[in-house]
């Protein structure tokens, strides 16, 4: 009975956490601010306690979970409709560098030292700070960098080239199985797929780990590697 009770409370905890996550929205993952991050950890901790709670403790932890979830959702809704509230809840962007100058006061305000800043710049591919025009700290803790124009990659527009717009590719074969619905959504059928595979001399589905197809009918096949690859990155 004790194991059954724990299983039921754990199931209830998972369900409550799932509902609250859907209520808060994908913003928790995609645009996580410091406040969102702390709330996410707290809600997860409360859910863990709820899973093994009993009696009055169960209702206490459930109440705390609901309060945290509802307040987080309300703050997100208010922030979406008010610039001032958004700045208060999520924070503001902080200018760290502009036109070759580092803003010492803003570094202290962001609790960021120059070594951490250089590390983030290197992670973004900038080992030389002179290649950076502007760097700002976003509310989610990420540093956005605008490179000096002469150092940014050339675009087709810069070179006066006419290029075709790329489209998202769909998975049509995964682990040797044809994804019928994806294939139909792309406007093709299994007969067309088999012909494309024959052209590429890929007739055995079991040997295909992944195959993707673009909207204009370009099929790219990735075969399953049987031999173990020797690691050279250690």
């Amino acid at each position: 009975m004790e194991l059954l009770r724990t299983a039921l409370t754990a199931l209830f905890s998972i369900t409550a956490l799932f509902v609250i996550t859907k209520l808060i929205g994908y913003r928790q993952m995609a645009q996580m601010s410091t406040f969102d991050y702390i709330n996410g950890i707290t809600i997860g901790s409360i859910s863990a306690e709820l899973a093994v709670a009993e009696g009055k403790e169960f209702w206490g932890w459930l109440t705390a979970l609901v309060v945290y979830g509802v307040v987080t959702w309300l703050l997100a809704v208010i922030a979406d409709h008010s610039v001032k509230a958004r700045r208060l809840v999520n924070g503001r962007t902080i200018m760290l560098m502009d036109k070759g100058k580092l803003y010492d006061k803003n570094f202290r305000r962001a609790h960021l030292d120059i070594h951490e800043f250089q590390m983030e710049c290197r992670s973004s591919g900038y080992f030389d700070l002179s290649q950076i025009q502007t760097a700002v700290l976003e509310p989610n803790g990420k540093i956005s960098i605008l490179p000096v124009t002469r150092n940014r990659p050339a675009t087709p527009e810069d070179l006066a080239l006419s290029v075709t717009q790329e489209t998202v590719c769909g998975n049509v074969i995964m682990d040797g199985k044809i994804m019928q619905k994806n294939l139909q959504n792309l406007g093709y059928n299994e007969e067309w797929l088999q012909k494309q595979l024959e052209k590429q001399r890929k007739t055995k589905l079991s040997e295909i780990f992944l195959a993707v197809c673009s909207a204009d009918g370009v099929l790219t096949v990735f075969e399953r590697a049987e031999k173990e690859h020797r690691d050279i990155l250690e």
Side-chain angles (χ1 to χ4, degrees):
M1 291 300 294
E2 182 69 19
L3 291 176
L4 178 61
R5 184 195 61 77
T6 302
L8 291 175
T9 54
L11 181 62
F12 186 87
S13 175
I14 293 173
T15 304
L17 185 61
F18 178 79
V19 172
I20 290 176
T21 303
K22 290 297 182 181
L23 183 66
I24 295 173
Y26 294 105
R27 185 171 159 275
Q28 278 287 97
M29 296 177 289
Q31 303 171 355
M32 188 177 289
S33 65
T34 304
F35 181 73
D36 293 329
Y37 178 73
I38 294 173
N39 267 342
I41 293 176
T42 304
I43 290 174
S45 299
I46 294 174
S47 298
E49 294 290 345
L50 178 62
V52 294
E54 58 182 27
K56 294 181 178 180
E57 288 185 356
F58 174 84
W59 296 107
W61 287 114
L62 178 61
T63 301
L65 182 65
V66 172
V67 170
Y68 262 91
V70 171
V71 170
T72 302
W73 173 74
L74 285 175
L75 288 175
V77 171
I78 294 172
D80 287 340
H81 292 84
S82 171
V83 175
K84 291 183 179 180
R86 182 159 57 248
R87 290 174 177 172
L88 178 63
V89 175
N90 298 330
R92 305 177 64 171
T93 56
I94 300 175
M95 181 74 69
L96 299 175
M97 179 179 178
D98 189 45
K99 299 178 182 178
K101 295 182 180 180
L102 296 170
Y103 294 93
D104 183 46
K105 290 184 178 180
N106 286 351
F107 270 87
R108 292 199 297 267
R109 176 184 166 196
H111 302 288
L112 184 73
D113 62 51
I114 190 64
H115 299 293
E116 291 175 315
F117 175 68
Q118 289 177 309
M119 181 182 67
E120 290 294 332
C121 290
R122 289 194 296 269
S123 298
S124 299
Y126 296 94
F127 285 74
D128 185 356
L129 295 185
S130 65
Q131 297 178 346
I132 298 175
Q133 173 71 15
T134 305
V136 296
L137 180 66
E138 304 292 356
N140 62 359
K142 300 293 184 180
I143 295 179
S144 298
I145 296 175
L146 175 67
V148 174
T149 302
R150 68 175 180 273
N151 292 318
R152 70 174 176 83
T155 65
E157 187 176 358
D158 294 332
L159 303 176
L161 297 177
S162 178
V163 295
T164 303
Q165 176 62 52
E166 295 181 349
T167 57
V168 177
C169 293
N171 299 328
V172 293
I173 299 177
M174 290 187 68
D175 199 17
K177 297 180 180 179
I178 298 177
M179 312 296 289
Q180 297 286 355
K181 189 173 182 180
N182 290 355
L183 194 61
Q184 293 174 6
N185 289 337
L186 287 166
Y188 302 104
N189 54 34
E190 189 171 338
E191 182 180 355
W192 174 87
L193 179 61
Q194 293 292 350
K195 290 181 180 179
Q196 297 300 314
L197 292 174
E198 289 175 4
K199 289 180 181 180
Q200 299 187 30
R201 297 181 180 179
K202 314 288 186 185
T203 55
K204 293 184 179 180
L205 289 177
S206 60
E207 296 179 356
I208 299 175
F209 190 61
L210 176 68
V212 297
C213 180
S214 62
D216 53 357
V218 178
L219 182 70
T220 306
V221 178
F222 301 90
E223 292 183 290
R224 188 190 308 276
E226 297 296 340
K227 295 182 179 180
E228 184 178 353
H229 186 271
R230 296 181 64 183
D231 195 352
I232 59 174
L233 300 177
E234 291 185 351

